[in-house]
Amino acid sequence: MMSTIDPNAELFDQQIGQSPKKPPSSPPPALDETNNSPATESSGGGGTLHLSVTDPQQIGEGRNAHTFYRIDVRPNQYADTIASVRRRYSDFRWLFQRLHDERPGAIIPIIPHTKAFQIEKRLSEELIEERRVSCETFLRRVQIHPELEGAPSISAFFSPDAEVFEQAKKDHPETTEGLLSEDGAASTAKEKVKHFFVKAGIKAKVARGHDLEETPDAAQVFEVEQYLSTLETHVKGLAKATLYLVDVSKETSTNMHELGQSLFGLHQTYDPDAATSDDENDNNNNVNSTAKSKNPSLKTISNIFASLSAINKVKYDDNYAKVSKPIHDIQDNIKAARLALKRRKDHAITYNTFLQQIKNRQGALEKLNHKNATSPQPTTENQIVNTQQLLDESNKAAKLALAALEKVTQRVFREMDRFKHDVDAQLRLLYVNHARVQVDYSRQLEFEWNKLLPNGGGDGMNGRVGGVDDGVLSKEAEMLMI
C-alpha cells in the first residue's frame, strides 16, 4: 500500500522511520560527473529522497488542453514509490515564484521556460519531454537546497490532498510586492495608496541613479554585484567559443555525409574495380592495377566518410550533453543569482519607502504643531494625534523592514559563497569532460582517416587499407550513404 505525504511534515528532511536531519549549509552539493547536476541521493544513506517526474498525461481538448506530470517519491532510486502526486507545468512555475517570496535572497533554480502559444506546439512530445526534464531537475535541486528547508510551499506542493494545494495557490496566486503584513503601517486603503506612491517615488529616484539608504553591508553587496557582472561577461564569451567548438562536430558530420553521398554516386556511375578483367586486359591495364593496389576505391572512400560522419554526430551528441547543456546551466544559474539580488534590492526599496514615509510624516507633524501653536483648534489636535500614531507605525515598520533586509542580505552572502564554489567546480568539470570527449573521438576519427592512406598510414598492413581489405566494406556505412 502506497503511503501518503503529510503536508505538515518536512518531506525532505527524513527517511521513513528516521528523525529529521538538517541538511548542511556548506559545502555545496557534490556534482555528478555524468550529468553535471547536483547529486540527489546521499551515498551514506542519509535523509535525501529520490524524486522523479514521469508519465505526462494530457487532459482536455483544444485551448483547455494541458499536461499533468506524475511526481514519485522513493527512499532511493530503485526502491518502491512511497508517495505520488500529479502537477501541471504551471504548478512548478507557481512553486518557483512562491519560493522567491518565502526565501527572498535565496538562489532558486531556474525552470527554463519555453513559451508555446500554439496548441500543437504546446502539446508536442518534444516540448512535453523538455518540460518534464526541466521540472525534474528543478525539484531535485530544490530538494537539496539548504536555504529552502521547511518552506511552506514545498509541503503544499507535495500534499496528496488536492484541496490543500489548491488553497495554497488561491491564497498566493502570484508574486506581489506586498506591504509588511504585521506592522499595521498600511491598515487602511488610503494609507496603502499613499504607501504605493511613496514607494513609486523611491523607485523613480533609484532609476535616476540616486543611492538608497543602505545597511553597513552595502560595500559587500556591491562586490557581489560586480562579481556577477564580471562572471556574466566571461561566461558569455566562454559559451560563445565553446558552443562553436561543439557545433563544429555537427557541421562536420553533415558535410562529410554529403561528401560521402557524392562519392558513392560517382562510384555507381563508374567503378573500374567492379569490372571483370580477362588476361588480355590485365596486360594492358598494368598501370591501373598498380594504382588500385595503392589507393582505395571510391566506394571504400564513401564508406569511410560515412563512418566519419557518424562518429562526428555521436561526438556532437556527447559534447552537447557534457558541455553545451552544462554551460547553459551555468548561464541559468547566473540569472538565478541575479534574481536573488533583485529580491534583496526590493527589500532595500521597501526599507527606504518607510524611511521616506517617516520624513514625510515628521514634516507633516511639524507643520501641525506650528499651526496648533499659532491658532489652537480641536481638529488640529486630533490631526496631531493621528499623525503621531502614523509616525510611530512608520518607525515600527522601518525597524521590521530593516531586520528583514539584513536577514535577506545575510542569506544572499551565504548563497553567493556556495554559488562561487559551485561555478568553479562546474567549469572545471565541464572542460575536463570536453577534453575526454575530444580524446575519445579523436582516436576513432584517426583510425578512420588512416584507412584512406596507403598501408593504413604506415602501420605495415600490406595490401590493406587501415587493416581492412579494399573489397570488404562496412554494410552500415554503405546503407547510410544510400
Side-chain angles (χ1 to χ4, degrees):
M1 180 177 178
M2 185 176 66
S3 59
T4 58
I5 303 174
D6 181 359
N8 298 317
E10 293 303 325
L11 178 63
F12 303 129
D13 298 336
Q14 57 187 332
Q15 284 258 23
I16 304 302
Q18 292 184 355
S19 57
K21 295 173 65 178
K22 288 188 177 181
S25 57
S26 63
L31 295 176
D32 181 357
E33 291 196 11
T34 59
N35 57 17
N36 200 28
S37 61
T40 56
E41 295 182 48
S42 52
S43 57
T48 305
L49 301 177
H50 178 81
L51 297 178
S52 61
V53 178
T54 59
D55 190 24
Q57 292 187 0
Q58 295 181 8
I59 307 295
E61 297 179 356
R63 293 188 174 278
N64 295 323
H66 51 272
T67 305
F68 277 94
Y69 299 88
R70 172 173 167 166
I71 306 169
D72 290 329
V73 184
R74 298 180 177 88
N76 60 68
Q77 185 175 357
Y78 304 104
D80 293 334
T81 301
I82 60 174
S84 293
V85 292
R86 282 198 174 272
R87 295 290 180 257
R88 295 178 58 175
Y89 179 72
S90 58
D91 295 334
F92 289 88
R93 301 289 301 175
W94 173 87
L95 177 60
F96 172 79
Q97 295 290 343
R98 283 302 305 150
L99 290 173
H100 270 292
D101 286 346
E102 294 170 357
R103 298 291 189 270
I107 300 178
I108 312 297
I110 291 285
I111 305 179
H113 182 49
T114 303
K115 293 183 179 180
F117 297 105
Q118 296 179 351
I119 300 299
E120 295 80 5
K121 184 176 181 181
R122 196 171 73 218
L123 300 180
S124 68
E125 291 184 5
E126 183 180 354
L127 180 62
I128 290 173
E129 174 62 14
E130 177 187 323
R131 288 182 170 181
R132 185 200 67 76
V133 173
S134 297
C135 291
E136 183 175 80
T137 302
F138 166 73
L139 283 186
R140 289 180 176 181
R141 291 176 177 176
V142 165
Q143 174 191 12
I144 59 175
H145 199 306
E147 297 293 338
L148 304 181
E149 177 189 0
S153 58
I154 295 180
S155 295
F157 183 85
F158 281 95
S159 173
D161 189 342
E163 292 184 1
V164 171
F165 183 51
E166 291 303 319
Q167 187 61 45
K169 291 196 293 183
K170 184 178 179 181
D171 292 341
H172 307 283
E174 59 182 346
T175 300
T176 58
E177 295 182 85
L179 310 182
L180 297 179
S181 57
E182 299 177 357
D183 55 27
S187 56
T188 66
K190 182 178 179 181
E191 289 305 316
K192 287 182 179 180
V193 172
K194 287 183 177 180
H195 185 93
F196 171 80
F197 282 109
V198 172
K199 193 168 189 177
I202 295 294
K203 288 183 176 180
K205 288 183 178 180
V206 172
R208 290 195 296 268
H210 291 269
D211 293 331
L212 293 171
E213 185 75 26
E214 277 287 3
T215 62
D217 300 317
Q220 193 174 348
V221 173
F222 179 74
E223 289 179 4
V224 170
E225 292 174 344
Q226 290 295 103
Y227 162 77
L228 276 180
S229 297
T230 304
L231 176 67
E232 190 171 30
T233 300
H234 287 305
V235 169
K236 186 177 180 179
L238 286 175
K240 182 179 179 180
T242 305
L243 296 178
Y244 172 79
L245 293 176
V246 172
D247 290 340
V248 164
S249 297
K250 186 177 182 180
E251 294 176 6
T252 302
S253 173
T254 301
N255 291 333
M256 287 188 169
H257 179 74
E258 294 175 355
L259 210 166
Q261 279 187 320
S262 297
L263 288 169
F264 192 78
L266 288 172
H267 147 73
Q268 289 181 317
T269 60
Y270 175 68
D271 184 10
D273 296 336
T276 304
S277 302
D278 53 21
D279 294 338
E280 294 180 0
N281 289 335
D282 285 341
N283 295 329
N284 296 330
N285 296 328
N286 186 45
V287 177
N288 291 337
S289 298
T290 303
K292 176 185 175 182
S293 66
K294 291 183 178 180
N295 299 317
S297 66
L298 290 181
K299 186 176 182 180
T300 300
I301 295 174
S302 70
N303 279 276
I304 291 172
F305 274 106
S307 297
L308 290 169
S309 173
I311 293 171
N312 274 287
K313 176 61 171 63
V314 177
K315 178 183 177 183
Y316 167 77
D317 293 339
D318 207 5
N319 256 326
Y320 181 83
K322 295 178 180 178
V323 179
S324 297
K325 193 175 183 304
I327 208 162
H328 287 310
D329 286 342
I330 292 174
Q331 290 178 311
D332 285 339
N333 292 340
I334 294 174
K335 293 178 183 177
R338 289 266 186 210
L339 287 176
L341 276 180
K342 183 180 182 302
R343 289 289 175 169
R344 193 259 172 200
K345 187 174 183 179
D346 289 341
H347 276 69
I349 289 176
T350 298
Y351 172 56
N352 278 261
T353 298
F354 288 116
L355 291 182
Q356 184 62 47
Q357 207 170 59
I358 290 172
K359 292 179 181 178
N360 294 344
R361 287 172 178 172
Q362 285 175 338
L365 187 60
E366 290 177 2
K367 290 180 180 179
L368 288 172
N369 285 328
H370 179 73
K371 180 180 179 181
N372 192 50
T374 55
S375 55
Q377 296 289 337
T379 55
T380 304
E381 292 179 357
N382 290 335
Q383 288 176 339
I384 291 174
V385 172
N386 292 334
T387 303
Q388 183 63 55
Q389 183 179 358
L390 291 173
L391 179 59
D392 293 341
E393 291 174 351
S394 294
N395 280 312
K396 179 183 176 182
K399 290 180 180 179
L400 290 174
L402 178 59
L405 174 59
E406 290 174 343
K407 183 177 180 180
V408 172
T409 301
Q410 292 307 310
R411 180 177 290 132
V412 167
F413 291 158
R414 291 195 302 271
E415 284 284 67
M416 289 308 301
D417 287 341
R418 287 187 286 263
F419 177 81
K420 291 177 181 179
H421 186 283
D422 245 356
V423 169
D424 179 75
Q426 286 174 322
L427 285 172
R428 294 185 188 198
L429 180 60
L430 185 154
Y431 286 104
V432 168
N433 285 338
H434 185 52
R436 286 174 179 166
V437 171
Q438 296 301 113
V439 171
D440 290 344
Y441 289 94
S442 292
R443 292 168 181 164
Q444 299 181 44
L445 291 169
E446 182 180 6
F447 177 77
E448 293 298 324
W449 280 116
N450 277 333
K451 292 179 182 179
L452 285 172
L453 303 179
N455 297 325
D459 59 3
M461 301 180 188
N462 294 327
R464 297 163 68 86
V465 182
V468 179
D469 287 334
D470 190 23
V472 181
L473 303 175
S474 168
K475 295 297 182 183
E476 183 178 354
E478 184 174 348
M479 291 303 297
L480 182 61
M481 285 300 97
I482 295 174

